[in-house]
Amino acid sequence: ASLADSTIARCFAGHGGGVYVEQSKIVMRGMLFSQNAALVNKGGAALAHDNSEMNVTSTTVTDNVATRGGGFMAQFSSVLRLTGDVRVVKNVARLFGGAGYGYLDSTIDLSGTIVVDDNFAGSMSAGFQNYFSRRFIASGEVSFSNNAVIGGIGGSGAVFVLGGAMELYDGVKMFNNIASDKAGACWV
C-alpha cells in the first residue's frame, strides 16, 4: 500500500489515530499528519502492528496524541523506517514515546534529514522509546531537540532503549532535551 502527497488531520481511533497497518507494508511520502489521536492507547498519527513495515519519507508529523507513541508506534515485530526529510514535532504521549514508540521485537530506523523537536511525554522518553525491541538506529542528519519528559519516571528526553540495541552514528545531534529524572539525551 502507499499514501502520497496527502493530509491526514483531526482523525481519531482507539489505536492508530490516522493510519493503522496490520500484517502489511506501507510507504508514505509527502504526507502531513496533524492533530490526530489514538484515544485508547497507541500511535497518534500511525501504528504499525504485527509484522508490519512502515516506510515514511518527506513527511511532517505534528500535534498528534496517544498514550504510547504520540507520533508513531511500531509493535510486535514491526519496522518503522523514517528516511529523507521527515519532521516529527509537537507530539504528545500521555506515557511513553512522544515522537514514537517501538514495542516487543520491533525496529525503529531513522536516517537522512530527520528532525525530532518539541515532543512531550508524561513518563518516559519524549523523543523515541524502544521497549524490548530489536534495534533503534539513527544515522545522518538526525537531530533531537527541545523534547521533554514532564513527569512520572522521567527518563530520557531524546531516546530510551530497554532490552534491545541502540546505534547512533554519522552526525546525530541531541541538544536541549529534558528528563525529570534520568538522561536528558539517551537512557540505555
Side-chain angles (χ1 to χ4, degrees):
S2 65
L3 293 170
D5 304 317
S6 300
T7 297
I8 297 178
R10 295 178 298 283
C11 295
F12 308 94
H15 305 283
V19 171
Y20 184 96
V21 180
E22 185 168 359
Q23 296 180 354
S24 297
K25 180 178 179 178
I26 190 166
V27 175
M28 296 187 285
R29 178 186 51 78
M31 298 294 296
L32 170 63
F33 288 91
S34 178
Q35 300 175 344
N36 301 294
L39 301 174
V40 175
N41 199 352
K42 304 168 186 173
L47 170 63
H49 173 75
D50 194 14
N51 282 314
S52 293
E53 185 174 326
M54 187 177 296
N55 295 293
V56 181
T57 188
S58 300
T59 291
T60 297
V61 179
T62 185
D63 297 306
N64 300 285
V65 178
T67 300
R68 292 178 177 89
F72 292 108
M73 181 154 178
Q75 66 179 10
F76 306 128
S77 303
S78 293
V79 175
L80 170 62
R81 184 172 294 112
L82 307 182
T83 59
D85 180 24
V86 178
R87 296 180 47 79
V88 185
V89 297
K90 297 182 182 178
N91 298 287
V92 175
R94 292 188 261 325
L95 289 177
F96 313 127
Y101 186 71
Y103 184 65
L104 291 181
D105 204 29
S106 293
T107 297
I108 296 175
D109 183 353
L110 313 178
S111 64
T113 304
I114 311 295
V115 175
V116 181
D117 183 57
D118 205 19
N119 297 285
F120 292 90
S123 185
M124 294 167 58
S125 188
F128 280 91
Q129 178 169 336
N130 236 20
Y131 189 74
F132 290 103
S133 286
R134 279 184 233 147
R135 296 170 60 192
F136 177 87
I137 308 158
S139 64
E141 294 297 314
V142 179
S143 68
F144 296 85
S145 60
N146 306 310
N147 300 292
V149 177
I150 52 179
I153 297 169
S156 184
V159 178
F160 171 75
V161 175
L162 177 65
M166 179 174 69
E167 301 169 35
L168 305 174
Y169 52 93
D170 293 338
V172 174
K173 297 173 183 72
M174 298 182 180
F175 52 95
N176 297 331
N177 297 290
I178 300 168
S180 58
D181 186 16
K182 298 176 181 79
C186 298
W187 180 4
V188 182

